[in-house]
mmCIF file of all heavy atoms in Angstrom:
data_model
loop_
_atom_site.group_PDB
_atom_site.id
_atom_site.type_symbol
_atom_site.label_atom_id
_atom_site.label_comp_id
_atom_site.label_asym_id
_atom_site.label_seq_id
_atom_site.Cartn_x
_atom_site.Cartn_y
_atom_site.Cartn_z
ATOM 1 N N LEU A 288 -19.747 61.320 -3.169
ATOM 2 C CA LEU A 288 -19.371 62.030 -4.384
ATOM 3 C C LEU A 288 -18.787 63.394 -4.049
ATOM 4 O O LEU A 288 -17.747 63.796 -4.594
ATOM 5 C CB LEU A 288 -20.592 62.189 -5.298
ATOM 6 C CG LEU A 288 -20.368 62.985 -6.593
ATOM 7 C CD1 LEU A 288 -19.283 62.355 -7.445
ATOM 8 C CD2 LEU A 288 -21.682 63.092 -7.373
ATOM 9 N N GLU A 289 -19.428 64.087 -3.130
ATOM 10 C CA GLU A 289 -18.951 65.405 -2.711
ATOM 11 C C GLU A 289 -17.570 65.305 -2.075
ATOM 12 O O GLU A 289 -16.678 66.124 -2.335
ATOM 13 C CB GLU A 289 -19.962 66.001 -1.722
ATOM 14 C CG GLU A 289 -19.963 67.507 -1.624
ATOM 15 C CD GLU A 289 -21.160 68.018 -0.834
ATOM 16 O OE1 GLU A 289 -21.333 67.595 0.332
ATOM 17 O OE2 GLU A 289 -21.929 68.828 -1.387
ATOM 18 N N ARG A 290 -17.373 64.275 -1.263
ATOM 19 C CA ARG A 290 -16.099 64.095 -0.573
ATOM 20 C C ARG A 290 -14.977 63.734 -1.546
ATOM 21 O O ARG A 290 -13.833 64.176 -1.388
ATOM 22 C CB ARG A 290 -16.231 63.025 0.516
ATOM 23 C CG ARG A 290 -17.109 63.477 1.679
ATOM 24 C CD ARG A 290 -17.327 62.393 2.721
ATOM 25 N NE ARG A 290 -18.197 62.864 3.794
ATOM 26 C CZ ARG A 290 -18.557 62.132 4.852
ATOM 27 N NH1 ARG A 290 -18.114 60.898 4.970
ATOM 28 N NH2 ARG A 290 -19.352 62.647 5.769
ATOM 29 N N GLY A 291 -15.288 62.937 -2.567
ATOM 30 C CA GLY A 291 -14.283 62.594 -3.558
ATOM 31 C C GLY A 291 -13.806 63.804 -4.331
ATOM 32 O O GLY A 291 -12.603 63.983 -4.573
ATOM 33 N N LYS A 292 -14.742 64.652 -4.714
ATOM 34 C CA LYS A 292 -14.396 65.887 -5.434
ATOM 35 C C LYS A 292 -13.573 66.812 -4.545
ATOM 36 O O LYS A 292 -12.607 67.440 -5.000
ATOM 37 C CB LYS A 292 -15.665 66.597 -5.891
ATOM 38 C CG LYS A 292 -16.428 65.883 -6.997
ATOM 39 C CD LYS A 292 -17.689 66.669 -7.366
ATOM 40 C CE LYS A 292 -18.443 66.037 -8.511
ATOM 41 N NZ LYS A 292 -19.690 66.786 -8.847
ATOM 42 N N PHE A 293 -13.947 66.888 -3.275
ATOM 43 C CA PHE A 293 -13.233 67.753 -2.332
ATOM 44 C C PHE A 293 -11.797 67.281 -2.151
ATOM 45 O O PHE A 293 -10.851 68.085 -2.163
ATOM 46 C CB PHE A 293 -13.965 67.774 -0.989
ATOM 47 C CG PHE A 293 -13.302 68.632 0.056
ATOM 48 C CD1 PHE A 293 -13.550 69.992 0.103
ATOM 49 C CD2 PHE A 293 -12.444 68.081 0.996
ATOM 50 C CE1 PHE A 293 -12.944 70.799 1.063
ATOM 51 C CE2 PHE A 293 -11.834 68.873 1.958
ATOM 52 C CZ PHE A 293 -12.091 70.232 1.992
ATOM 53 N N PHE A 294 -11.621 65.960 -1.987
ATOM 54 C CA PHE A 294 -10.284 65.400 -1.792
ATOM 55 C C PHE A 294 -9.391 65.698 -2.999
ATOM 56 O O PHE A 294 -8.230 66.112 -2.844
ATOM 57 C CB PHE A 294 -10.382 63.889 -1.567
ATOM 58 C CG PHE A 294 -9.050 63.195 -1.457
ATOM 59 C CD1 PHE A 294 -8.202 63.446 -0.394
ATOM 60 C CD2 PHE A 294 -8.650 62.283 -2.422
ATOM 61 C CE1 PHE A 294 -6.976 62.811 -0.287
ATOM 62 C CE2 PHE A 294 -7.425 61.641 -2.328
ATOM 63 C CZ PHE A 294 -6.589 61.896 -1.258
ATOM 64 N N TYR A 295 -9.923 65.490 -4.190
ATOM 65 C CA TYR A 295 -9.150 65.751 -5.400
ATOM 66 C C TYR A 295 -8.750 67.228 -5.491
ATOM 67 O O TYR A 295 -7.595 67.552 -5.775
ATOM 68 C CB TYR A 295 -9.968 65.350 -6.627
ATOM 69 C CG TYR A 295 -9.268 65.640 -7.936
ATOM 70 C CD1 TYR A 295 -8.269 64.795 -8.409
ATOM 71 C CD2 TYR A 295 -9.597 66.761 -8.690
ATOM 72 C CE1 TYR A 295 -7.613 65.057 -9.612
ATOM 73 C CE2 TYR A 295 -8.948 67.035 -9.885
ATOM 74 C CZ TYR A 295 -7.957 66.174 -10.340
ATOM 75 O OH TYR A 295 -7.310 66.448 -11.525
ATOM 76 N N LYS A 296 -9.700 68.105 -5.208
ATOM 77 C CA LYS A 296 -9.436 69.548 -5.274
ATOM 78 C C LYS A 296 -8.364 69.958 -4.275
ATOM 79 O O LYS A 296 -7.445 70.735 -4.599
ATOM 80 C CB LYS A 296 -10.725 70.323 -5.012
ATOM 81 C CG LYS A 296 -10.582 71.833 -5.055
ATOM 82 C CD LYS A 296 -11.910 72.519 -4.756
ATOM 83 C CE LYS A 296 -11.754 74.030 -4.712
ATOM 84 N NZ LYS A 296 -13.051 74.701 -4.379
ATOM 85 N N GLU A 297 -8.468 69.448 -3.043
ATOM 86 C CA GLU A 297 -7.499 69.782 -2.002
ATOM 87 C C GLU A 297 -6.106 69.254 -2.353
ATOM 88 O O GLU A 297 -5.103 69.936 -2.137
ATOM 89 C CB GLU A 297 -7.954 69.204 -0.661
ATOM 90 C CG GLU A 297 -9.168 69.891 -0.061
ATOM 91 C CD GLU A 297 -8.868 71.320 0.356
ATOM 92 O OE1 GLU A 297 -7.966 71.512 1.197
ATOM 93 O OE2 GLU A 297 -9.533 72.242 -0.171
ATOM 94 N N ALA A 298 -6.047 68.052 -2.894
ATOM 95 C CA ALA A 298 -4.763 67.466 -3.253
ATOM 96 C C ALA A 298 -4.106 68.242 -4.399
ATOM 97 O O ALA A 298 -2.902 68.519 -4.368
ATOM 98 C CB ALA A 298 -4.951 66.003 -3.646
ATOM 99 N N LYS A 299 -4.889 68.584 -5.397
ATOM 100 C CA LYS A 299 -4.349 69.335 -6.534
ATOM 101 C C LYS A 299 -3.838 70.699 -6.089
ATOM 102 O O LYS A 299 -2.766 71.154 -6.522
ATOM 103 C CB LYS A 299 -5.431 69.500 -7.605
ATOM 104 C CG LYS A 299 -4.926 70.099 -8.899
ATOM 105 C CD LYS A 299 -6.008 70.079 -9.976
ATOM 106 C CE LYS A 299 -5.475 70.600 -11.296
ATOM 107 N NZ LYS A 299 -6.517 70.564 -12.365
#
Side-chain angles (χ1 to χ4, degrees):
L288 177 58
E289 204 169 56
R290 291 176 181 180
K292 290 179 177 179
F293 180 84
F294 176 66
Y295 178 79
K296 180 181 176 182
E297 289 293 301
K299 188 173 184 179

